[in-house]
Amino acid sequence: MWELRSSLFLLLHLFRIFHSITAIRKDVGFPEPRFCRTSVQGRYLLADDNGHVCDALALDPETRCCPSTGGQYSCQGCNTISQCCDSYEFCVSCCLDPARTRKEEVLKVKIAKPVTAGTYSSVFDYCAGRCRHNSDSVIHENAYLSDAHHCFSLPANYSGVTVPLMEARLGGITVVVGRQAQSCDSVCKSKGQSCVATKLVVLNQCEM
């Protein structure tokens, strides 16, 4: 009889301990793991939505994020004036920099030209889309203006761009007027400058 009472007491004691432990664990808040979205175009490199670029093998298998040890919002191989890069992944990374891309502007940009086309749902979607397909970096619809053809600038016909914003897009650009039929390259070279052809679409806006 004594052994039975001892066993019951021990079980009751263990139940109380277990109950108190589970109650404590319920009160502890564990941060939910964050999963990254990544670009998928490159063969070797990836850009995540945190603005990091890494080798595909360095990607965290659980979070799908690049290591945070590298530089964030890297513009390696990019011309920050023309906003064009020679690498898709670094174009996305550079574009994600809040200092270069305004969320309130890019979320108004249409994904395609048709009137019924929707707008981008996030800055990452905008950067990934614009860096992949950008008509401002193409000439004659079948050739790139330069090797740096991954561009993230706002579309030239973006209706939300006001005159001050249009002028801001020409920051660092010296406007030189040439003769009729004279090429941008020849005019700029005569002044010791180089042509930034992607900015011609901005200059050709009637508002300017």
Side-chain angles (χ1 to χ4, degrees):
M1 188 67 176
W2 170 253
E3 292 180 355
L4 179 60
R5 288 181 179 179
S6 299
S7 298
L8 290 174
F9 177 78
L10 179 61
L11 288 173
L12 180 61
H13 182 65
L14 290 174
F15 174 77
R16 287 177 177 175
I17 293 175
F18 177 76
H19 182 72
S20 62
I21 292 174
T22 54
I24 293 173
R25 290 183 65 86
K26 288 180 180 179
D27 294 336
V28 176
F30 294 96
E32 294 184 2
R34 186 191 184 283
F35 299 97
C36 291
R37 298 179 61 193
T38 60
S39 61
V40 294
Q41 179 165 318
R43 181 180 298 178
Y44 304 108
L45 296 177
L46 291 169
D48 66 19
D49 57 5
N50 287 324
H52 291 103
V53 177
C54 66
D55 185 280
L57 297 177
L59 201 68
D60 188 299
E62 294 183 0
T63 64
R64 304 295 296 171
C65 297
C66 287
S68 57
T69 52
Q72 189 177 25
Y73 309 133
S74 174
C75 295
Q76 179 180 320
C78 299
N79 183 324
T80 55
I81 295 177
S82 66
Q83 295 182 317
C84 293
C85 312
D86 57 15
S87 165
Y88 172 72
E89 290 74 25
F90 283 103
C91 176
V92 174
S93 175
C94 190
C95 173
L96 286 170
D97 187 349
R100 303 183 187 280
T101 304
R102 299 181 182 181
K103 182 178 180 179
E104 62 272 17
E105 290 177 4
V106 301
L107 296 188
K108 298 177 183 177
V109 176
K110 288 183 175 294
I111 298 175
K113 290 183 178 180
V115 179
T116 56
T119 56
Y120 290 101
S121 59
S122 68
V123 176
F124 178 76
D125 286 333
Y126 168 83
C127 293
R130 287 293 290 171
C131 287
R132 183 179 294 113
H133 303 293
N134 191 327
S135 59
D136 294 346
S137 63
V138 178
I139 187 171
H140 304 312
E141 298 184 356
N142 61 1
Y144 290 115
L145 288 168
S146 70
D147 291 336
H149 56 262
H150 299 286
C151 306
F152 59 89
S153 57
L154 288 167
N157 60 350
Y158 171 51
S159 59
V161 179
T162 60
V163 172
L165 288 176
M166 294 282 281
E167 293 175 346
R169 290 175 61 184
L170 292 173
I173 297 292
T174 301
V175 179
V176 179
V177 179
R179 297 187 302 274
Q180 186 175 1
Q182 193 175 12
S183 71
C184 177
D185 285 325
S186 62
V187 174
C188 291
K189 285 181 180 178
S190 67
K191 303 294 183 180
Q193 305 288 329
S194 59
C195 174
V196 183
T198 55
K199 294 300 181 181
L200 292 177
V201 290
V202 182
L203 286 171
N204 289 332
Q205 296 296 308
C206 295
E207 292 83 355
M208 297 300 292

